[in-house]
């Protein structure tokens, strides 16, 4: 078999295109394949799909293809330009590559496969012998394709969360479809505008379709939701895990200050007990149980704050909004009399947001959403270790967590 025929077969080049020349460069370890079209080829305008006539050819350009054994393989051709009565002179499509691609379709598919299956982008680059920017380019193209194909849909429950992106308080805002466990939208920073951009991208029907939004008690997100989501105020569900984190942070501050006072009197009762107080009661490891049982009975502020914390957790087990509200009022009365200022202050904050907290009984959602979405985003961060650029990181999140149709 001739080498030109061989490459037509293995590259899937068919009429009106054919391989005109194959050159092997042993020194560079490269195979170069030139492709040209028959003179009587019929062309179609890519803008309207109607037949058009050949106008001229653009300069020769190259596409990286799958390797031939260990040899890097490039396809070279001059892309024809057509003349359409309606659209004027247009670049015509070639069957082996997407528009503006630098890889052939087969190479793009392989790159996507590897990106989805390898632990790091650097590993993909090493296997394929491509540059980091080339891998990113394939990802950008894949996400662009996926977003164009994605049909506008109704998302019933969304979660809004902030993610630290780089050291030094650089954040992004991630909006997820909680039912599908997919990231819908990523914006830079964690401002009003970050979330407003999402709402503004939706149609009135889509906005009306949102039944609830899980989020942290975060002013910028709350305001954007109030202003741009019809009935937004009533649709907010403050995330229970963020609330319990606030509670635990306060409990820990109380323990720290009490431990400081005790240690001045050479009393080490509270030394090395931090995590014992923070664990949910049922999650306390067995080896600590005896010591903790004694600690709880000591006359400690920390022990009282712990009991208040443990009781609050039951708020999310209440059967309905009325029961949850009553439960909270009872808990709040208890805190008011506890004499611990940081706790009293925190409870007051919760009381001001109680409607959005007990909304959980109507819509039992959290920002963690579907199991695994958060850890998936974390692995994107690991995979993309070294992403310093927001656009790249955003693309990577949508590539791995967006449930998009990525292949050409
Ligand atoms: Zn046209």
């Amino acid at each position: 078999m001739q080498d030109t025929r061989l490459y037509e077969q293995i590259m899937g080049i068919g009429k009106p295109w054919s391989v005109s020349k194959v050159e092997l460069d042993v020194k560079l370890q490269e195979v170069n394949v030139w492709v040209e079209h028959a003179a009587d080829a019929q062309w179609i305008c890519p803008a309207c799909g109607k037949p058009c006539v050949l106008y001229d050819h653009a300069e020769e350009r190259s596409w990286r293809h799958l390797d031939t054994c260990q040899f890097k393989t490039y396809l070279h051709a001059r892309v024809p330009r057509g003349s359409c009565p309606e659209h004027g002179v247009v670049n015509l499509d070639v069957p082996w590559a997407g528009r503006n691609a630098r890889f052939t379709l087969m190479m793009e598919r392989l790159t996507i496969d590897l990106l989805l299956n390898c632990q790091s982008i650097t590993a993909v680059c090493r296997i394929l012998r491509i540059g980091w920017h080339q891998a990113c380019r394939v990802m950008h193209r894949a996400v662009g394709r996926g977003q164009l194909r994605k049909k506008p849909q109704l998302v019933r429950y969304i979660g809004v969360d902030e993610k630290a992106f780089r050291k030094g308080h650089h954040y992004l805002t991630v909006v997820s479809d909680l039912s599908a466990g997919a990231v819908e939208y990523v914006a830079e920073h964690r401002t009003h505008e970050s979330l407003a951009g999402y709402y503004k991208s939706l149609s009135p029907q889509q906005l009306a379709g949102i039944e609830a939004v899980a989020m942290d008690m975060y002013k910028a997100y709350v305001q954007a939701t109030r202003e741009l989501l019809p009935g937004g105020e009533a649709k907010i569900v403050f995330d229970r895990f963020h609330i319990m984190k606030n509670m635990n942070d306060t409990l820990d501050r109380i323990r720290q200050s009490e431990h400081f006072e005790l240690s001045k009197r050479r009393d080490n009762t509270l030394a090395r007990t931090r995590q014992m107080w923070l664990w949910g009661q049922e999650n306390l490891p067995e080896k600590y149980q005896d010591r903790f049982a004694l600690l709880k009975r000591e006359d400690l502020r920390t022990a009282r704050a712990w009991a208040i914390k443990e009781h609050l957790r039951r708020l999310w087990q209440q059967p309905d909004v009325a029961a949850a509200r009553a439960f909270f009022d009872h808990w709040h009365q208890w805190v008011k009399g506890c004499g611990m200022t940081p706790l009293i202050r925190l409870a007051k904050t919760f009381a001001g947001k109680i409607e959005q907290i007990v909304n959980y009984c109507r819509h039992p959602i959290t920002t963690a959403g579907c199991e695994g979405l958060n850890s998936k985003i974390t692995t994107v961060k690991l995979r993309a270790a070294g992403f310093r650029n927001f656009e790249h990181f955003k693309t990577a999140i949508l590539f791995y967590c967006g449930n998009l149709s990525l292949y050409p």
Side-chain angles (χ1 to χ4, degrees), residues 45-50 52 84-88 90:
C45 167
C48 60
K50 290 180 191 150
C52 68
C84 170
E86 201 186 327
H87 297 97
V90 284

Side-chain angles (χ1 to χ4, degrees), residues 37-50:
H37 65 79
D40 60 353
Q42 307 284 309
W43 304 104
I44 281 169
C45 167
C48 60
K50 290 180 191 150

Side-chain angles (χ1 to χ4, degrees), residues 129-370:
R129 293 181 290 170
I130 61 176
W132 175 270
H133 63 282
Q134 288 175 304
C136 289
R137 201 177 144 85
V138 170
M139 239 191 280
H140 277 285
R141 291 177 57 83
V143 168
R145 224 170 2 239
Q147 286 181 318
L148 274 180
R149 286 174 187 157
K150 187 171 168 177
K151 298 198 175 68
Q153 53 188 0
L154 295 185
V155 179
R156 188 172 166 221
Y157 286 147
I158 62 169
V160 185
D161 213 354
E162 55 183 51
K163 298 270 169 231
F165 159 43
R166 281 196 307 235
K167 287 204 180 95
H169 296 284
H170 202 101
Y171 287 91
L172 13 119
T173 296
V174 177
V175 181
S176 319
D177 174 343
L178 295 177
S179 315
V183 170
E184 283 282 300
Y185 186 87
V186 183
E188 201 167 7
H189 310 303
R190 48 172 178 176
T191 60
H192 181 278
E193 273 314 302
S194 315
L195 181 55
Y198 171 68
Y199 291 131
K200 285 177 187 168
S201 75
L202 302 180
S203 67
Q205 289 86 344
Q206 285 175 306
L207 285 170
I210 297 176
E211 286 178 30
V213 186
M215 63 169 77
D216 186 9
M217 297 183 292
Y218 187 53
K219 218 179 191 172
Y221 292 161
V222 171
Q223 272 174 0
T225 303
R226 247 187 224 148
E227 283 167 28
L228 294 159
L229 182 66
E233 174 104 43
K235 293 180 177 179
I236 295 172
V237 179
F238 284 132
D239 180 57
R240 54 183 290 196
F241 298 111
H242 280 92
I243 292 169
M244 286 312 298
K245 188 179 178 302
N246 285 327
M247 181 70 226
N248 267 341
D249 289 347
T250 303
L251 166 61
D252 198 45
R253 275 202 306 281
I254 290 168
R255 183 199 58 83
Q256 277 171 26
S257 71
E258 189 171 29
H259 175 52
F260 181 71
E261 286 163 27
L262 291 175
S263 57
K264 277 196 289 196
R265 284 181 265 134
R266 299 178 185 260
D267 179 342
N268 275 324
T269 308
L270 279 172
R272 290 182 302 281
T273 63
R274 177 175 180 273
Q275 192 56 46
M276 291 184 212
W277 303 104
L278 300 183
W279 268 311
Q281 192 166 17
E282 68 285 3
N283 298 325
L284 184 73
E286 212 182 318
K287 60 176 173 178
Y288 299 124
Q289 281 176 6
D290 290 345
R291 184 167 174 213
F292 194 66
L294 293 175
L295 272 174
K296 272 194 301 186
R297 264 180 261 138
E298 299 246 1
D299 183 24
L300 292 165
R301 283 207 303 280
T302 308
R304 277 183 287 139
W306 172 83
I308 287 170
K309 180 264 292 189
E310 279 299 310
H311 194 61
L312 180 63
R313 295 172 65 211
R314 290 205 222 149
L315 176 64
W316 289 278
Q317 292 159 10
Q318 301 306 310
D320 55 47
V321 169
R325 238 186 248 128
F327 178 94
F328 180 82
D329 287 343
H330 188 262
W331 178 85
H332 194 192
Q333 284 308 319
W334 178 16
V335 176
K336 276 180 185 163
C338 79
M340 290 177 270
T341 317
L343 260 182
I344 294 169
R345 215 178 287 143
L346 183 70
K348 199 176 162 197
T349 309
F350 292 160
K353 302 171 192 301
I354 190 61
E355 286 312 310
Q356 285 85 13
I357 294 175
V358 299
N359 238 349
Y360 180 86
C361 297
R362 291 191 187 95
H363 309 286
I365 56 175
T366 75
T367 57
C370 272

